[in-house]
């Protein structure tokens, strides 16, 4: 069984999405420094506190380019990351961004 989710945030390390079984939980999936809109599949291991796997993760214009920081059970937005990620996102859209591993 596959579950479809919509990413709430993305940064150059992770894609953040809410668990379909417990909306208070946020799971992460590697973003590979790619902030562009796309669909990602996460089939592998179970993630920590819950049983979800086989996720189809949608990244779109509704996905904020921002880092989420975990503080206890809750997650908050890192406003500091917003400017930097906005710039990287724009550079990627203009195809002017080179990933760290390709430098
Ligand atoms: Zn889950």
């Amino acid at each position: 069984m596959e579950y479809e989710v919509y990413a709430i945030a993305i940064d150059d390390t992770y894609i953040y999405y809410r668990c379909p079984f417990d909306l208070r939980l946020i799971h992460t999936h590697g973003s590979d420094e790619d902030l562009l809109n796309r669909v990602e599949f996460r089939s592998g291991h179970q993630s920590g506190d819950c049983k979800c796997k086989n996720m189809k993760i949608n990244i779109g214009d509704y996905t904020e380019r921002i880092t989420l920081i975990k503080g206890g059970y809750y997650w908050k937005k890192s406003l500091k990351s917003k400017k930097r990620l906005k710039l990287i996102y724009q550079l990627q859209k203009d195809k002017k961004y080179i990933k760290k591993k390709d430098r």
Side-chain angles (χ1 to χ4, degrees):
M1 176 119 188
E2 187 181 85
Y3 297 95
E4 186 165 10
V5 292
Y6 295 85
I8 52 173
I10 185 170
D11 66 15
D12 42 355
T13 310
Y14 294 117
I15 300 160
Y16 306 85
Y17 62 96
R18 282 192 196 285
C19 175
F21 301 102
D22 181 351
L23 293 177
R24 293 168 304 174
L25 280 180
I26 287 176
H27 295 317
T28 56
H29 178 68
S31 70
D32 195 29
E33 289 184 72
D34 186 354
L35 302 184
L36 299 174
N37 292 343
R38 66 188 182 280
V39 175
E40 287 264 344
F41 293 92
R42 183 185 206 280
S43 54
H45 54 89
Q46 299 183 351
S47 33
D49 331 12
C50 89
K51 292 185 187 69
C52 64
K53 50 181 184 175
N54 294 330
M55 310 299 297
K56 180 182 176 189
I57 309 167
N58 294 286
I59 299 136
D61 289 337
Y62 45 80
T63 305
E64 270 198 275
R65 271 64 186 175
I66 201 164
T67 297
L68 298 188
I69 303 169
K70 198 169 187 181
Y73 200 73
Y74 296 96
W75 292 73
K76 58 179 183 184
K77 294 173 185 174
S78 160
L79 296 176
K80 247 172 36 183
S81 69
K82 200 169 185 174
K83 257 189 184 169
R84 187 175 67 87
L85 291 170
K86 190 181 168 190
L87 178 67
I88 295 174
Y89 183 39
Q90 193 55 53
L91 288 171
Q92 288 188 346
K93 281 206 250 187
D94 298 342
K95 299 187 176 7
K96 287 175 185 161
Y97 181 80
I98 302 163
K99 290 180 182 181
K100 265 181 227 153
K101 63 179 181 205
D102 297 331
R103 269 174 219 155

